[in-house]
Every structure is written in C-alpha cells, then in structure tokens.
Amino acid sequence: MELTVWRTFVTVCRLGSLSAAATELHHTQSAVSRQIAGLERQLGVPLMERHARGVRPTPAGEVFRRHALATLREADRAVRAVQDARDGAFDRPLAVGATPSLAAGVVPEAVRGLLRQVGPVRWSLLPGLSAQLHGRVIAGDLDVAVVTDAPPGLPNDPQVERRLLTVDEMMVVLPVGHLQAGRGPVHIRALADEVWAEDNDGSAALLRRHATRAGVSARIDLAAADLHGKLALVATGHAIALIPGVLRYALRADVTAVPLVDPPTRGIHTLTPRHDAHPCTGALLDQLAVACAAVFPADAEHGPDAAGSPCAAPARHGGVTGSDDGDRPHD
C-alpha cells in the first residue's frame, strides 16, 4: 500500500467529498475514486459509503482512517527529522499558532524577544480558533499554539502539554465619543440599554451570563464575521462589544476599552506536542510569559526568568490546569 493512497483516503474522509478531495490534492475525481476502490480491494472491505451530501467512512473505514492518520503523521515527522539532521536544527521553521486576539500583539512580541535572544530563526504564524489550533498541534503542524480556555473549553488531551500563561480580564469596547469612554470600571447595568455586537458564540454566551448575574439582559442585535468586523461596528457607533483585555493596547484609534466591574475572565494557555519538540520551544514559552507580563503588569512578579540558554531548554511555567468553568469567551 502506498502512503499517497492513504493520504487520499484520509483527505476524502476529512472533506466528505470525492470532488473536494480531488481539488485539494490536484487529482481528477476519477483518479481519487480509483485509489479508494483499489484500497478497498486490498483490504477486502468497503471503506466508504455514499449519503445525501457526499461520502463518509464505513465503520471499517473509520477504524482504518484513525490508523492511517497516525501513520501519515509519523511519516511526516520522519521526513522532518531527516531534514533537520541534514540541515541542522535551526533550519527547521518554528510553526506558531494563536487565536486572533493573541496574534494581534502578545505572540508577535514574544517572537521578537525570541529572535533577539537566539538570533535568526525561520518561523510562521497561523491564526485560528482554539479548537482548530489544538487539532493542528496534535497533527504535528504546529510547534506551539497560544490559545484560550473559552467555550467550548480545552480538552485534557494526553497528546499535548498544556501550560497556563496568565488570566485575561474581559473589557467593554466603546466608540471614543461614548458617555462611558474614559471613565473608570463600568458596571454592566450601566450598559443595559446598549446594542451589542458579537463575532462568536462563546463570547456571546459569556456576555449573556455576565449580564444575567447582574439582573439585566444584553441585546446582541448585531453579528460580525470576526474581531475586526466587531471593532468596525463599534467604531461607527452601531454597537458596543466585549473584547479580551489583552487587546487593549492594540485597538484602533477610534474605539476605547473600559474595564468592567467584576469582569469575566479567561485563561491563556500554551499547547505543545509531547514529542518532537522544536529546539526553540522552551525559549519561546519564556518569551510568551514575558510578553504577557508586559500586558498584565500585576502578573510580572510571577513571570519566569527568561535569561539563559535559549534553545532546547525545558519550559518552566505553570502546570496543566484543571477543568474549565465554561464562562469564558472564544476569540
């Protein structure tokens, strides 16, 4: 059996469509069909079945998919390991993932500190939601992911190592001309008549719970496609919004962030694979702690000492957290 055929099968399972898999793999649909049929002949059992919206694996196909996926991941790691041995460890790109709010400031600042400390390192940044980034770490696509425990939370997955960086307090973002702009912490009751905008279900759920505890309701009348769209609705005076506190130094000039009384919080975590760690993972985790301490000065005394030898150093941060409280946003 060729791994190319296994990769085709896994891609069809992921996309649920022969034509979509053919497009992604740059094959014809008939070539994909022939590969799947040949694999079924070799195994002597049907692996795919059709349904109204495409195809899905049979029970036997699902068993094979799990093993095939694990085999392909190990094959990819083997190729990377050989390339590292040929080119040297520092030639391996450092793949970093982050949620949109963390990719807007904390993570780039941490990478800048890393490059100052260790010198030139090829690296990439992939923004995404926490669940997506968790899957990318497991798949071996990311060396480090910086995520939040916002709804639906982070699973306790034995395949990844999870560390708590800091706790982020949520804030309300307002147009610069708003009556509450520039004032001290505002109570949610003072915003009871406002129209709110949200860009994801997790943040909307958090806002509703926070308002309910205060005995008011939050009118989430506007939906945005992403964080930038949400801020645009605020800047133009259509709504106000809940945002992570980590964004308060990276906002556009026509909005302002105001603290909330008894604010909702979320944990910011790093996810790393338990095996095949990048040589600079430990140094990056140190720099992430430094960057978080700069954004959250009250936590600075708890930050690690980032000095010393950079690469291949073990991480020295807090351990794996316990269960999620289900009361945190998702961006």
Side-chain angles (χ1 to χ4, degrees), residues 73-88:
R73 287 171 180 164
E74 288 302 317
D76 291 340
R77 290 190 181 101
V79 171
R80 287 201 303 270
V82 171
Q83 292 171 340
D84 289 346
R86 179 195 64 195
D87 301 330

Side-chain angles (χ1 to χ4, degrees), residues 3 104 123 155 178 227 287 310:
L3 289 184
W123 67 286
H178 194 280
L227 183 59
Q287 292 297 332

